[in-house]
Amino acid sequence: MSSCIIIGAGMAGLTAAQQLAGRGWRVTVLDKGRGVGGRLATRRLTNGRADHGAQVIRAESAEFRAWLTSADTEAALAEWPVDPAGTGWIGRDGMNRVAKQLADGLTIETEQTVTSVHMEPDGWRVETKTGQSFQADALLCIIPAPQALTLFGDASNLLRSTDRDALQQIQYEPCLSVLVTLNQSGSIPAPGGLWLDRPDIAWLADNQQKGISPDQPTATILASTAFSQTHLDGDLNAAGQQLLAQLTDYLPAEAVADVQVHRWRYSQVTQAYPEPFHRAATTVPLLFGGDGFGGAAPFDPHLNVERAFLSGRRMADALLA
Ligand SMILES: Cc1cc2nc3c(=O)[nH]c(=O)nc-3n(C[C@H](O)[C@H](O)[C@H](O)COP(=O)(O)OP(=O)(O)OC[C@H]3O[C@@H](n4cnc5c(N)ncnc54)[C@H](O)[C@@H]3O)c2cc1C
């Protein structure tokens, strides 16, 4: 039986894992997070929830649309008519639900930060922060490219300059995500999602109207790229309050019960590698993929999840071939 280690249990890693496991491969997915999903992220807030990563999923390709509307995903996905440009999909109780559905039946080791990668004559051995070691015939590294470069930094003998050049092409922008618990509904108009073209704020969502937080009103604010870059390593709470103060027309101060701020250093892709994955020039299979692969700018920010999905599928196809 062929075996594979996948580093990263985000949309791309889970998609590749499903495909390989479905064809009889022994697949182990490792993720540093406490749960699966990566940027398909939903946080619990008192009696509610808020999506603090991906907000709405769109599909351009027939392949992704077919998956979004298949019987397999029906329990996890719902349509959200927020997008004038076409149908948008969301996780039924938050985006993380989509990842949990994909993870069903897979062997996933969470809280396992991969710290080193070693090539052996017939496969790969990776070591994690907990001191554990995992071995397999093939390795898929499906984490943001800057993190992949750091991970492989010490193993400089593994990557050739062409491999490094591929990863270095990929650029991300940061994003501060502000999660607001409310004690009364705000006044965000239906259906609950607003693209705000303000200097400091890109997006505002009402998670109760979105349908993922029925028992408690909560809101998600995504800061603009410029604001996020300025405040990324500063006082996050102060940054969150600064954004909230600009939104009293939608979220009056007396309605706000709690504010949390999440920092995404690698949020959305601004420059991708054109192919859906990159195969390193190693003697045993090592592939890099994820949302940074398979596209040309300008990027529609709501097609990132689709790009991650297609990258995961094409990586699995390549190994199966
Ligand atoms: C605020 C925000 C808003 C967004 N909005 C949208 C949107 O509306 N629509 C859209 O389509 N896309 C959106 N995106 C982008 C979308 O979420 C991503 O493109 C997609 O989820 C990426 O999936 P991925 O599998 O490539 O990577 P990730 O989800 O980042 O998965 C990588 C995984 O690797 C793990 N990892 C990293 N390093 C290690 C290590 N050393 N060892 C073990 N595990 C490791 C991480 O924990 C993570 O779980 C948004 C993203 C953010 C942050």
XYZ file of all heavy atoms in Angstrom, residues 6-14 30-41 51-58 64 95 109 111-115 128 142-144 147-148 151 172-173 175-177 195 203 220 222 262 264 266-269 289-292 300-309 311, ligand 1:
623
model
N 0.737 14.325 4.734
C 0.314 15.652 4.275
C 0.518 16.629 5.424
O -0.018 16.422 6.525
C -1.161 15.637 3.823
C -1.326 14.683 2.629
C -1.630 17.042 3.473
C -2.739 14.580 2.079
N 1.299 17.676 5.184
C 1.473 18.719 6.204
C 0.453 19.808 5.893
O 0.533 20.452 4.849
C 2.903 19.309 6.193
C 3.958 18.203 6.224
C 3.091 20.261 7.371
C 5.393 18.711 6.075
N -0.535 19.986 6.792
C -1.548 21.016 6.606
C -2.933 20.437 6.387
O -3.195 19.787 5.371
N -3.827 20.650 7.371
C -5.204 20.147 7.266
C -6.172 21.273 6.918
O -7.237 21.419 7.515
C -5.617 19.470 8.577
N -5.768 22.112 5.947
C -6.678 23.127 5.417
C -7.486 22.534 4.272
O -7.487 21.315 4.050
N -8.171 23.406 3.538
C -9.009 22.950 2.423
C -8.209 22.100 1.436
O -8.666 21.031 0.998
C -9.572 24.180 1.689
C -10.480 23.864 0.541
S -11.991 23.137 1.226
C -12.930 22.791 -0.238
N -6.995 22.547 1.097
C -6.204 21.844 0.082
C -5.694 20.505 0.611
O -5.796 19.475 -0.076
C -5.040 22.728 -0.362
N -5.166 20.505 1.834
C -4.619 19.269 2.401
C -5.691 18.217 2.603
O -5.495 17.029 2.292
N -6.848 18.643 3.097
C -7.938 17.681 3.346
C -8.489 17.129 2.031
O -8.846 15.951 1.935
C -9.054 18.346 4.159
C -8.673 18.735 5.595
C -9.774 19.576 6.235
C -8.406 17.490 6.454
N -0.958 15.962 9.140
C -0.426 16.593 10.353
C -0.776 18.076 10.334
O -0.595 18.741 9.303
C 1.098 16.445 10.409
C 1.646 15.020 10.318
C 3.175 15.056 10.247
C 1.192 14.202 11.529
N -1.253 18.598 11.449
C -1.531 20.039 11.505
C -1.135 20.578 12.865
O -1.340 19.933 13.891
C -3.005 20.342 11.236
C -3.203 21.789 10.806
O -3.071 22.701 11.657
O -3.459 22.021 9.602
N -0.628 21.806 12.849
C -0.196 22.410 14.119
C -1.385 22.937 14.939
O -1.249 23.174 16.135
C 0.799 23.535 13.862
C 0.230 24.745 13.142
C 1.307 25.792 12.935
C 0.724 27.006 12.224
N 1.708 28.029 11.934
N -2.534 23.110 14.294
C -3.692 23.671 14.987
C -4.358 22.674 15.934
O -4.072 21.480 15.898
N -5.266 23.224 16.761
C -6.001 22.339 17.683
C -7.082 21.559 16.950
O -7.568 20.548 17.413
C -6.625 23.160 18.814
C -5.641 23.334 19.963
C -6.324 23.899 21.168
N -6.753 25.264 20.886
C -7.692 25.915 21.547
N -8.327 25.343 22.537
N -8.012 27.146 21.244
N -7.491 22.077 15.811
C -8.499 21.384 15.003
C -8.114 21.491 13.534
O -7.056 22.027 13.196
N -8.992 20.992 12.679
C -8.716 21.042 11.239
C -9.267 22.343 10.647
O -10.016 23.053 11.298
C -9.374 19.832 10.518
C -8.796 18.530 11.016
C -10.898 19.857 10.660
N -8.891 22.621 9.410
C -9.548 23.707 8.669
C -8.642 24.854 8.284
O -8.917 25.533 7.309
N -7.587 25.120 9.067
C -6.718 26.255 8.744
C -7.519 27.538 8.672
O -8.183 27.933 9.645
N -7.528 28.155 7.496
C -8.237 29.436 7.337
C -9.732 29.273 7.092
O -10.454 30.261 6.947
C -7.569 30.247 6.216
C -6.289 30.911 6.680
C -5.500 31.487 5.543
N -4.717 30.466 4.866
C -4.233 30.583 3.636
N -4.502 31.660 2.939
N -3.508 29.613 3.101
N -10.230 28.037 7.057
C -11.692 27.816 7.143
C -11.977 27.791 8.642
O -12.100 26.727 9.261
C -12.083 26.490 6.498
C -11.969 26.404 4.974
C -12.347 25.014 4.485
C -12.861 27.441 4.294
N -12.053 28.979 9.239
C -11.971 29.098 10.696
C -13.233 29.717 11.292
O -13.720 30.739 10.795
C -10.771 29.956 11.057
N -17.279 33.467 11.933
C -16.224 33.057 10.996
C -15.140 34.112 11.041
O -15.415 35.300 10.810
C -16.788 33.001 9.562
C -17.617 31.740 9.315
O -17.349 30.711 9.965
O -18.518 31.798 8.451
N -13.895 33.706 11.329
C -12.841 34.731 11.342
C -11.822 34.543 10.226
O -10.902 35.323 10.089
C -12.175 34.848 12.709
C -11.514 33.621 13.228
N -12.224 32.508 13.587
C -10.214 33.346 13.477
C -11.368 31.599 14.029
N -10.153 32.072 13.970
N -11.989 33.497 9.404
C -11.174 33.346 8.197
C -12.091 33.571 7.002
O -12.795 34.588 6.933
N -12.128 32.588 6.095
C -12.937 32.725 4.874
C -14.386 33.080 5.213
O -14.970 32.540 6.147
C -12.869 31.431 4.066
N -14.953 34.001 4.434
C -16.301 34.510 4.714
C -17.359 33.923 3.791
O -18.471 33.651 4.196
C -16.300 36.040 4.570
C -15.347 36.728 5.536
C -15.804 36.579 6.973
O -16.920 36.942 7.309
N -14.945 36.037 7.829
N -17.019 33.787 2.528
C -17.983 33.258 1.557
C -17.198 32.566 0.440
O -16.123 33.017 0.060
C -18.927 34.383 1.037
C -18.158 35.503 0.389
C -19.971 33.846 0.065
N -17.734 31.448 -0.015
C -17.040 30.649 -1.030
C -17.759 30.838 -2.362
O -18.992 30.751 -2.417
C -17.061 29.148 -0.635
C -16.316 28.940 0.685
C -16.468 28.284 -1.746
C -16.412 27.509 1.238
N -16.971 31.075 -3.401
C -17.564 31.129 -4.745
C -16.920 30.068 -5.615
O -15.832 29.580 -5.319
C -17.338 32.510 -5.369
C -18.236 33.577 -4.780
C -18.013 34.895 -5.457
N -18.219 34.802 -6.892
C -17.764 35.691 -7.753
N -17.093 36.743 -7.350
N -17.993 35.553 -9.039
N -15.473 22.391 -9.044
C -15.702 22.822 -7.658
C -17.199 22.994 -7.401
O -17.718 22.609 -6.357
C -14.948 24.127 -7.404
C -14.939 24.555 -5.952
C -14.638 23.652 -4.939
C -15.210 25.871 -5.600
C -14.618 24.047 -3.592
C -15.187 26.280 -4.269
C -14.897 25.367 -3.269
N -17.740 28.236 8.694
C -16.884 27.689 7.625
C -16.117 26.453 8.076
O -15.805 25.583 7.267
C -15.878 28.750 7.172
C -16.466 29.784 6.266
S -17.045 29.047 4.717
C -17.500 30.540 3.845
N -3.604 14.082 12.667
C -2.927 14.340 13.942
C -2.858 15.854 14.104
O -2.125 16.526 13.377
C -1.503 13.767 13.914
C -1.441 12.280 13.633
C -1.444 11.462 14.924
O -1.346 12.056 16.014
O -1.543 10.230 14.810
N -2.324 19.411 16.575
C -1.300 19.878 17.527
C 0.046 19.205 17.262
O 0.740 18.796 18.184
C -1.773 19.694 18.972
C -3.045 20.487 19.234
C -3.474 20.519 20.688
O -2.894 21.295 21.435
O -4.384 19.761 21.050
N 0.339 19.027 15.992
C 1.616 18.443 15.568
C 2.273 19.423 14.609
O 2.016 19.402 13.398
C 1.401 17.095 14.860
C 0.873 15.999 15.740
C 1.957 15.394 16.647
O 3.087 15.883 16.697
N 1.614 14.342 17.358
N 3.081 20.317 15.159
C 3.818 21.260 14.313
C 5.019 20.543 13.719
O 5.876 20.047 14.461
C 4.316 22.460 15.156
O 3.186 23.060 15.790
C 5.045 23.479 14.305
N 5.076 20.482 12.397
C 6.223 19.830 11.753
C 7.422 20.771 11.850
O 7.346 21.949 11.469
C 5.901 19.489 10.278
C 7.133 18.911 9.587
C 4.740 18.502 10.223
N 8.517 20.266 12.406
C 9.698 21.105 12.626
C 10.861 20.721 11.715
O 11.753 21.527 11.489
C 10.159 21.018 14.093
O 10.247 19.625 14.448
C 9.190 21.714 15.034
N 8.050 16.271 14.518
C 7.186 17.344 15.003
C 7.691 17.835 16.363
O 8.521 17.188 17.006
C 5.724 16.869 15.131
O 5.663 15.851 16.136
C 5.193 16.321 13.821
N 1.433 21.371 2.325
C 0.306 22.208 1.876
C 0.032 23.270 2.935
O -1.006 23.285 3.602
C -0.937 21.342 1.552
C -0.536 20.065 0.786
C -1.917 22.164 0.759
C -1.682 19.253 0.224
N 1.028 24.127 3.091
C 0.945 25.243 4.043
C 1.350 26.501 3.273
O 1.921 26.392 2.179
C 1.886 24.993 5.252
C 3.367 24.956 4.824
C 1.536 23.663 5.933
C 4.344 24.702 5.984
N 1.026 27.714 3.784
C 1.412 28.917 3.031
C 2.906 28.897 2.658
O 3.760 28.504 3.467
C 1.061 30.046 3.999
C -0.121 29.504 4.763
C 0.224 28.042 4.980
N 5.767 29.872 4.938
C 5.984 28.920 6.034
C 6.694 27.666 5.513
O 7.517 27.081 6.212
C 4.646 28.558 6.692
C 4.015 29.758 7.396
C 2.643 29.456 7.992
O 1.865 28.677 7.446
N 2.337 30.101 9.106
N 6.396 27.280 4.276
C 7.080 26.121 3.685
C 8.566 26.431 3.509
O 9.432 25.599 3.788
C 6.440 25.768 2.349
N 10.179 26.137 6.837
C 10.291 24.729 7.252
C 11.446 24.033 6.535
O 12.192 23.264 7.133
C 8.964 24.006 6.979
C 8.918 22.509 7.243
C 9.233 22.208 8.711
C 7.537 21.943 6.878
N 1.396 36.790 -0.011
C 0.125 36.925 0.720
C 0.009 38.324 1.295
O 1.022 38.972 1.552
C 0.092 35.955 1.902
C -0.115 34.509 1.534
C 0.965 33.711 1.180
C -1.370 33.943 1.548
C 0.796 32.381 0.852
C -1.556 32.609 1.227
C -0.472 31.836 0.884
O -0.654 30.521 0.561
N -1.237 38.728 1.573
C -1.426 39.949 2.357
C -1.910 39.546 3.750
O -2.530 38.482 3.902
C -2.441 40.890 1.682
C -3.809 40.281 1.499
C -4.713 41.100 0.594
O -4.225 41.983 -0.118
O -5.924 40.837 0.610
N -4.185 40.109 7.368
C -5.534 40.610 7.676
C -5.790 40.511 9.179
O -5.538 39.481 9.793
C -6.586 39.792 6.923
S -8.262 40.394 7.189
N -6.299 41.592 9.743
C -6.797 41.534 11.122
C -8.292 41.281 11.056
O -9.017 41.951 10.319
C -6.533 42.844 11.860
C -5.082 43.222 12.103
C -4.994 44.474 12.968
C -4.321 42.083 12.777
N -8.720 40.305 11.836
C -10.124 39.902 11.849
C -10.666 40.183 13.253
O -10.113 39.704 14.238
C -10.133 38.404 11.528
O -11.405 37.918 11.400
N -19.461 44.558 1.738
C -18.105 44.936 1.329
C -18.013 46.442 1.540
O -18.727 47.202 0.877
C -17.882 44.608 -0.137
C -17.675 43.155 -0.373
C -16.483 42.488 -0.293
C -18.662 42.170 -0.724
N -16.678 41.151 -0.559
C -17.996 40.926 -0.832
C -20.029 42.212 -0.942
C -18.648 39.747 -1.152
C -20.685 41.039 -1.266
C -20.007 39.822 -1.365
N -14.621 44.574 5.138
C -15.795 43.692 5.151
C -16.438 43.688 6.530
O -15.730 43.768 7.556
C -15.330 42.277 4.789
C -16.264 41.143 5.071
C -16.245 40.316 6.165
C -17.350 40.678 4.253
N -17.235 39.373 6.068
C -17.928 39.568 4.908
C -17.884 41.091 3.031
C -19.011 38.868 4.383
C -18.973 40.389 2.511
C -19.518 39.294 3.171
N -18.425 40.000 12.360
C -17.019 39.873 11.955
C -16.640 41.105 11.147
O -17.345 41.454 10.196
C -16.816 38.620 11.071
O -17.225 37.462 11.791
C -15.350 38.471 10.659
N -13.450 42.599 8.926
C -12.111 42.362 8.355
C -11.491 43.718 8.022
O -12.092 44.528 7.291
C -12.180 41.499 7.093
C -12.728 40.076 7.250
C -12.565 39.310 5.935
C -12.059 39.315 8.398
N -8.132 38.585 15.818
C -7.256 37.509 15.345
C -6.351 38.069 14.249
O -6.805 38.754 13.349
C -8.083 36.337 14.796
C -7.240 35.166 14.408
N -6.900 34.171 15.293
C -6.630 34.854 13.238
C -6.134 33.282 14.687
N -5.949 33.680 13.437
N -4.022 37.346 11.067
C -3.625 36.412 10.006
C -2.443 37.032 9.280
O -2.612 38.027 8.579
C -4.755 36.190 9.001
C -5.984 35.535 9.541
C -7.147 36.152 9.895
C -6.193 34.130 9.754
N -8.063 35.229 10.329
C -7.503 33.971 10.254
C -5.402 32.995 9.579
C -8.045 32.726 10.567
C -5.932 31.760 9.896
C -7.234 31.628 10.382
N -0.752 35.458 6.962
C -0.954 35.024 5.561
C -2.446 34.805 5.379
O -2.973 33.785 5.788
C -0.161 33.745 5.274
C 1.290 33.899 5.653
C 1.827 33.218 6.732
C 2.095 34.787 4.946
C 3.152 33.410 7.100
C 3.413 34.983 5.307
C 3.937 34.293 6.378
O 5.240 34.488 6.741
N -3.101 35.785 4.788
C -4.560 35.753 4.728
C -5.019 35.359 3.323
O -5.521 34.264 3.088
C -5.062 37.128 5.151
O -6.240 37.463 4.548
N -4.829 36.257 2.386
C -5.261 35.990 1.016
C -4.070 36.183 0.082
O -3.207 37.022 0.320
C -6.384 36.948 0.635
C -7.445 36.989 1.718
C -8.850 37.083 1.180
O -9.143 36.617 0.091
N -9.723 37.676 1.941
N -4.088 35.427 -1.006
C -2.973 35.415 -1.952
C -3.035 36.658 -2.845
O -4.093 37.001 -3.359
C -3.047 34.142 -2.825
C -2.001 34.154 -3.921
C -2.898 32.909 -1.950
N 1.687 22.640 -2.479
C 0.424 23.137 -3.033
C -0.309 23.979 -2.016
O 0.222 24.342 -0.966
N -1.579 24.296 -2.352
C -2.398 25.148 -1.478
C -2.959 26.300 -2.283
O -2.869 26.319 -3.521
N -3.519 27.284 -1.580
C -4.197 28.375 -2.292
C -3.226 29.289 -3.040
O -3.659 30.087 -3.869
C -5.092 29.187 -1.345
C -4.304 29.946 -0.283
O -3.131 29.608 -0.044
O -4.883 30.871 0.323
N -1.945 29.162 -2.785
C -0.954 29.981 -3.493
C -0.601 29.428 -4.862
O 0.259 29.986 -5.549
N -9.865 37.240 -7.436
C -11.121 37.452 -6.740
C -10.938 36.808 -5.366
O -10.690 35.605 -5.266
C -12.241 36.750 -7.518
C -13.585 36.876 -6.810
O -13.599 37.008 -5.577
O -14.608 36.817 -7.500
N -11.034 37.589 -4.274
C -10.749 37.019 -2.950
C -11.687 35.886 -2.572
O -11.372 35.102 -1.675
C -10.909 38.210 -1.992
C -11.649 39.247 -2.750
C -11.374 39.018 -4.204
N -12.807 35.766 -3.269
C -13.759 34.712 -2.913
C -13.558 33.440 -3.720
O -14.370 32.529 -3.660
C -15.193 35.244 -3.007
C -15.361 36.468 -2.169
N -15.458 37.715 -2.702
C -15.325 36.613 -0.828
C -15.508 38.595 -1.717
N -15.428 37.963 -0.580
N -12.467 33.401 -4.484
C -12.137 32.175 -5.225
C -10.888 31.498 -4.656
O -10.346 30.580 -5.246
C -11.935 32.493 -6.710
C -13.206 32.955 -7.446
C -12.861 33.434 -8.855
C -14.252 31.839 -7.524
N -10.448 31.961 -3.474
C -9.257 31.356 -2.857
C -9.519 29.925 -2.411
O -8.668 29.047 -2.570
C -8.840 32.169 -1.629
C -8.132 33.451 -2.006
O -7.176 33.431 -2.753
N -8.618 34.563 -1.494
N -10.676 29.694 -1.832
C -10.994 28.345 -1.342
C -11.078 27.397 -2.543
O -10.610 26.257 -2.485
C -12.301 28.352 -0.520
C -12.727 26.939 -0.172
C -12.115 29.169 0.756
N -11.636 27.887 -3.636
C -11.701 27.057 -4.841
C -10.287 26.699 -5.326
O -10.014 25.549 -5.683
C -12.442 27.797 -5.956
C -12.449 27.014 -7.259
C -13.239 27.687 -8.369
O -12.983 28.860 -8.657
O -14.111 27.016 -8.951
N -9.387 27.690 -5.324
C -8.024 27.407 -5.782
C -7.359 26.366 -4.883
O -6.644 25.480 -5.340
C -7.202 28.700 -5.842
C -6.376 28.797 -7.098
C -5.634 30.094 -7.297
N -5.286 30.779 -6.095
C -5.943 31.837 -5.617
N -6.970 32.338 -6.273
N -5.567 32.413 -4.502
N -7.605 26.464 -3.565
C -7.037 25.479 -2.629
C -7.588 24.084 -2.928
O -6.853 23.094 -2.967
C -7.369 25.891 -1.191
N -8.892 24.004 -3.172
C -9.540 22.724 -3.490
C -8.925 22.108 -4.752
O -8.552 20.930 -4.774
C -11.044 22.977 -3.695
C -11.816 21.829 -4.264
C -12.360 20.862 -3.439
C -12.024 21.721 -5.644
C -13.091 19.800 -3.970
C -12.751 20.666 -6.178
C -13.286 19.704 -5.333
N -6.078 22.741 -6.156
C -4.673 22.377 -5.932
C -4.600 21.003 -5.245
O -3.832 20.131 -5.660
C -3.987 23.449 -5.080
O -2.701 23.031 -4.723
C -9.623 36.729 7.023
C -9.706 35.850 5.802
C -10.788 35.986 4.930
C -10.871 35.159 3.806
N -11.986 35.257 3.003
C -12.127 34.390 1.986
C -13.342 34.344 1.260
O -14.304 35.036 1.587
N -13.428 33.459 0.225
C -12.381 32.646 -0.128
O -12.500 31.867 -1.095
N -11.241 32.648 0.563
C -11.099 33.481 1.631
N -9.953 33.443 2.387
C -8.846 32.562 1.960
C -9.138 31.083 2.265
O -9.500 30.953 3.609
C -7.882 30.281 1.951
O -7.504 30.510 0.603
C -8.032 28.759 2.093
O -8.755 28.419 3.243
C -6.596 28.189 2.124
O -6.593 26.781 2.279
P -5.182 26.032 2.306
O -5.462 24.601 2.561
O -4.396 26.373 1.087
O -4.351 26.668 3.522
P -4.663 26.789 5.086
O -6.106 26.858 5.351
O -3.802 27.913 5.581
O -4.118 25.400 5.683
C -2.755 25.210 6.016
C -2.685 24.433 7.321
O -1.305 24.157 7.572
C -1.089 24.187 8.964
N 0.360 24.371 9.179
C 1.134 25.426 8.830
N 2.425 25.189 9.180
C 2.458 23.937 9.736
C 3.488 23.134 10.289
N 4.782 23.530 10.306
N 3.174 21.914 10.796
C 1.885 21.470 10.778
N 0.858 22.210 10.265
C 1.153 23.419 9.744
C -1.956 25.324 9.465
O -2.286 25.169 10.838
C -3.190 25.197 8.543
O -4.221 24.453 9.168
C -9.853 34.229 3.539
C -8.780 34.074 4.421
C -8.715 34.880 5.554
C -7.581 34.666 6.525
